[in-house]
Amino acid sequence: MRIALLTEGGYPYAAGEAGLWCERLVHGLGQHQFDVYALGPTGTAAPLPPNARTVRTGDVSGPDADTTPGSRVERAAFGDDRASRRAYGRRERRRFTEGFHALATGLCAEHDETSFATGLHALADLARERGGLPGALRSDDAVRALEAACRAPGARRTAAAAGLPDHLAFVDHLERALRPLSLDWYEEEVLGAVDVCHATAGGTTALPGLLAKRFFGTPLLVTEYGVQLRAHYLSPAVADRSVPLRGLLASLHGRIAAETYRQAALLTPGNAHARRWQEKCGADRARIRTVHPGLAADRFAEVGEDEESGDPTTLVWVGRVEPAKDLVALLHAFAEIRARQPDVRLRIVAVPTGEPDADAYLTHCKGFAAQLFPDEAPGAHAVGENPVSFEELGGPEAPTLEDTYASAAVVVLSSVVEGFPTSLVEAMFCARATVSTDVGAVVEVIGGTGLVVPPRNPRALADACLALLREPERRYRLGAAARARALELFTVEQNLAAFRGIYLELLSHAPVRHRPGDGVPFAHPAEAHVPGSWTHQAVTAGTGAPDA
C-alpha cells in the first residue's frame, strides 16, 4: 500500500514526540510504502528507512507566500493587489470573489454550516487550475468581501463589531492558513498516486489530504494526539488580540476542523479527551477510533522489574517547564508536605524545549522555591541544601529518564492543562505510583492505578502525596497495577497493530482506481504467474501472460 504521510513541523526534519511517533510508524509498518509530505520549516532530515521517502516539502509558515518552496505561484504574483489583478483575468477574479464571499459568509454567519466548505473548495479548484492563488487572499477584493460578510444580516455580533484593522489582520492570517491550496501536490503522479492520505494532525496539516479527497477520491485518515482547535484556544498569542479578531480566528479554525472531520474516512484521536473535542466539532462517532500513542516500554523494563527501588522520601516531577504545568502549585503543596514530613525531597526534572518562555518561568520557580525553602544545614559548620532540586534531563544528576523515575517513591503531575500525559505513562512503565491533577486524558490513562486530585488545589495534592509516602505497600501495589495497565494499552506494538488494521480497512472500502500503466485486474489467469510448462504455452498461445 502507498501512503502519503502529511506532517507539519516534525518528521523528518525535527525531533519531538510527533516526529518520534512518525518514525516508529514508518519503521514498524515496513510492508507499506510511505511518501512523506512535510509542511513547515525544513532542515537536516532524519534518516529514512527503505520503505519511506520525502516526496514534497512546503514551508507555509514563512512571512511571505512567494518564498514558499513547492508553490507553483510566480514571485511577481504575490504581495500587492496590482500583481493579483495582472495574474487573474476577469473570469478568474469573478470566480475568486464568489468563492471568497462564500467562505467569508460561512465564517461570519451565526447559522451557516455549508458556505465555508463551498467557498473553500471553490478556491481550491481555482488554485489548482491557475497554479495557486497569486496574492488574491490578501487583496483589496478579499478585504471588501470580508467586510461585507461581517456587515451582512445574520452575522455574529463579534464579527459585526470588527473594524478595518481586524479585517486586515484576519485576511493576513487567512492567507497563511490557506497556503496549502497553492502547493504543487495535487497532480495524478503526486497525491493522486497514493492509496491513503494520513494526516498526523488536523488543521492546516490535513488540508492537502482534504483536497486529495476532493480531486482524486483518496481516503483521508486524520490522527490527532493534540487537537489543533484546542491548541488555538489555549495559545497565549490569541489573548493579545481584539475580541472581534479572536472571534473570527476561532471561527476559521473551527470551520476547518469541522470540514476535515466531515470529509475524513476515519479519525484516530489519541485519547477520549481529544475524541470529545472532535465530536463537539461535528465528527461522526461511527468514524472515530481511539488509538493511544505508543511508547517504547523496553527502555523502562529494568526499572519496572524492581519495585523496591527508589528513595521512599523522594517525589519526582518530569516535564516541560511552562505555566500550564503549574509548578507554583506544586511548590505550595510541597511546603505543606514538608511541614508534616520534614525528610521529603522534591526533584523537578525539566525536559529541554528550546522555547524562550521556558527559561523565564523556570527562573521564577527557582526564585519561589528559594523563598519557600531557605537552604537548610544540619549543623552550624555545614553547608545548607535546598530540599527542592531543579535539574535538566541529560544533566549529571539525571542522565536518563530511567534513572529519574527509578529514584522516585511517587511521581507527581500538577498541570492545569494537559493533553496525553506522556510522563505518567513512562512512570507507569517503571511501576511507580502517581499523584496527578484531573486534567486532559489523565483519568483515562491512570484508570484506578494512581491518585487523582483537582487542579489548582495544593492541599489536595499534598494530602495525596503524603498518603502514598506513608503507605509503602499501597504504593508498590498501585505501581505494579500501573505497569500492567501501561503494557496492555500504551506500547508501540498496540499502536502499530491498530494502524495496520486501519490501513487495510480504509483500502477495502476505497473504490478501485486504474492509473496509467497499471494492468487491469484479472486480465490474466492466475496460473500464468505460477512456474510451470503451461506458462510458456500460454505465452505462445497469445494470452500475453508473463513468463514466470
Side-chain angles (χ1 to χ4, degrees):
M1 190 184 306
R2 189 173 177 183
I3 300 162
L5 195 64
L6 308 175
T7 69
E8 181 179 18
Y11 189 76
Y13 295 105
E17 294 179 8
L20 186 59
W21 173 79
C22 291
E23 181 179 355
R24 289 169 177 164
L25 180 72
V26 173
H27 277 272
L29 299 181
Q31 69 272 36
H32 299 307
Q33 172 69 46
F34 285 87
D35 293 345
V36 181
Y37 292 79
L39 290 170
T42 61
T44 301
L48 294 174
N51 65 317
R53 57 176 183 153
T54 303
V55 178
R56 292 286 194 279
T57 59
D59 186 358
V60 297
S61 60
D64 297 313
D66 61 337
T67 62
T68 305
S71 173
R72 300 176 298 183
V73 186
E74 297 179 357
R75 175 180 296 269
F78 279 102
D80 59 41
D81 189 41
R82 290 175 296 177
S84 300
R85 294 174 187 273
R86 289 196 302 270
Y88 278 174
R90 181 178 300 175
R91 180 174 175 272
E92 286 79 11
R93 285 190 62 196
R94 183 172 64 253
R95 288 180 59 190
F96 171 80
T97 302
E98 292 173 353
F100 191 90
H101 175 74
L103 182 140
T105 300
L107 292 173
C108 299
E110 188 72 43
H111 303 289
D112 190 340
E113 302 296 331
T114 60
S115 292
F116 176 82
T118 300
L120 178 66
H121 293 303
L123 294 179
D125 292 340
L126 179 61
R128 188 184 183 209
E129 294 173 17
R130 292 287 301 172
L133 297 173
L137 289 172
R138 291 190 294 182
S139 65
D140 291 343
D141 291 341
V143 176
R144 283 193 292 268
L146 175 64
E147 183 178 13
C150 289
R151 302 287 186 266
R156 289 193 303 272
R157 186 174 301 176
T158 53
L164 181 59
D166 299 317
H167 298 153
L168 294 173
F170 177 73
V171 164
D172 182 68
H173 183 93
L174 179 65
E175 184 273 327
R176 294 170 186 269
L178 298 186
R179 285 182 186 178
L181 273 62
S182 296
L183 295 171
D184 62 349
W185 299 357
Y186 315 113
E187 304 292 344
E188 284 286 350
E189 66 275 11
V190 190
L191 281 180
V194 303
D195 297 304
V196 173
C197 281
H198 186 175
T200 60
T204 302
T205 309
L207 280 179
L210 197 65
L211 300 190
K213 165 86 163 41
R214 175 175 178 79
F215 298 139
F216 313 112
T218 309
L220 172 60
L221 170 65
V222 179
T223 296
E224 283 191 302
Y225 290 126
V227 179
Q228 294 291 327
L229 181 60
R230 175 178 178 269
H232 167 75
Y233 283 130
L234 296 175
S235 173
V238 176
D240 297 333
R241 291 161 177 161
S242 68
V243 173
L245 181 56
R246 290 205 302 268
L248 289 171
L249 292 174
S251 179
L252 171 63
H253 291 282
R255 296 296 193 207
I256 291 177
E259 179 62 9
T260 300
Y261 299 157
R262 187 177 71 87
Q263 296 288 350
L266 280 178
L267 302 169
T268 53
N271 51 71
H273 182 250
R275 178 176 185 141
R276 287 192 294 271
W277 273 85
Q278 293 177 342
E279 292 178 356
K280 190 71 174 178
C281 291
D284 182 3
R285 290 186 178 184
R287 292 185 287 111
I288 301 179
R289 309 275 194 280
T290 301
V291 180
H292 298 115
L295 302 180
D298 296 345
R299 63 182 299 189
F300 303 108
E302 185 175 348
V303 178
E305 292 172 358
D306 184 9
E307 296 180 0
E308 299 293 335
S309 66
D311 186 338
T313 61
T314 297
L315 301 175
V316 167
W317 179 96
V318 178
R320 300 187 308 273
V321 177
E322 56 189 13
K325 303 301 182 180
D326 203 5
L327 291 180
V328 173
L330 175 61
L331 292 173
H332 277 295
F334 186 63
E336 177 78 13
I337 293 170
R338 288 278 295 183
R340 296 156 64 180
Q341 188 170 333
D343 63 338
V344 180
R345 306 186 65 81
L346 172 64
R347 294 182 67 188
I348 295 178
V349 181
V351 175
T353 62
E355 298 179 3
D357 295 342
D359 292 338
Y361 186 68
L362 179 60
T363 301
H364 170 72
C365 292
K366 287 181 177 179
F368 185 54
Q371 293 177 356
L372 284 177
F373 312 102
D375 292 350
E376 300 175 0
H381 303 288
V383 178
E385 184 179 359
N386 197 295
V388 180
S389 64
F390 290 85
E391 308 160 30
E392 185 172 291
L393 197 63
E397 298 298 327
T400 65
L401 274 174
E402 304 93 285
D403 295 333
T404 301
Y405 292 119
S407 69
V410 177
V411 175
V412 187
L413 183 143
S414 55
S415 304
V416 293
V417 176
E418 193 69 57
F420 185 85
T422 302
S423 62
L424 287 189
V425 177
E426 293 169 344
M428 292 167 71
F429 281 139
C430 294
R432 289 301 181 264
T434 59
V435 175
S436 315
T437 49
D438 186 5
V439 292
V442 165
V443 172
E444 178 186 358
V445 168
I446 291 298
T449 67
L451 303 187
V452 180
V453 301
R456 294 192 178 93
N457 192 331
R459 176 163 294 183
L461 194 64
D463 290 343
C465 290
L466 284 168
L468 292 182
L469 288 172
R470 292 171 176 175
E471 299 182 55
E473 293 184 1
R474 182 187 184 190
R475 195 166 68 233
Y476 298 150
R477 189 167 59 249
L478 287 175
R483 176 170 168 77
R485 178 178 176 83
L487 290 174
E488 179 183 0
L489 298 178
F490 307 123
T491 62
V492 174
E493 290 73 21
Q494 66 83 23
N495 185 268
L496 293 176
F499 281 107
R500 186 179 293 112
I502 286 171
Y503 286 157
L504 293 176
E505 179 182 351
L506 290 177
L507 192 62
S508 69
H509 290 93
V512 176
R513 294 182 290 121
H514 302 300
R515 307 183 185 98
D518 288 351
V520 179
F522 313 116
H524 306 300
E527 60 269 18
H529 301 279
V530 179
S533 59
W534 55 81
T535 305
H536 300 281
Q537 295 172 1
V539 172
T540 57
T543 63
D547 188 356

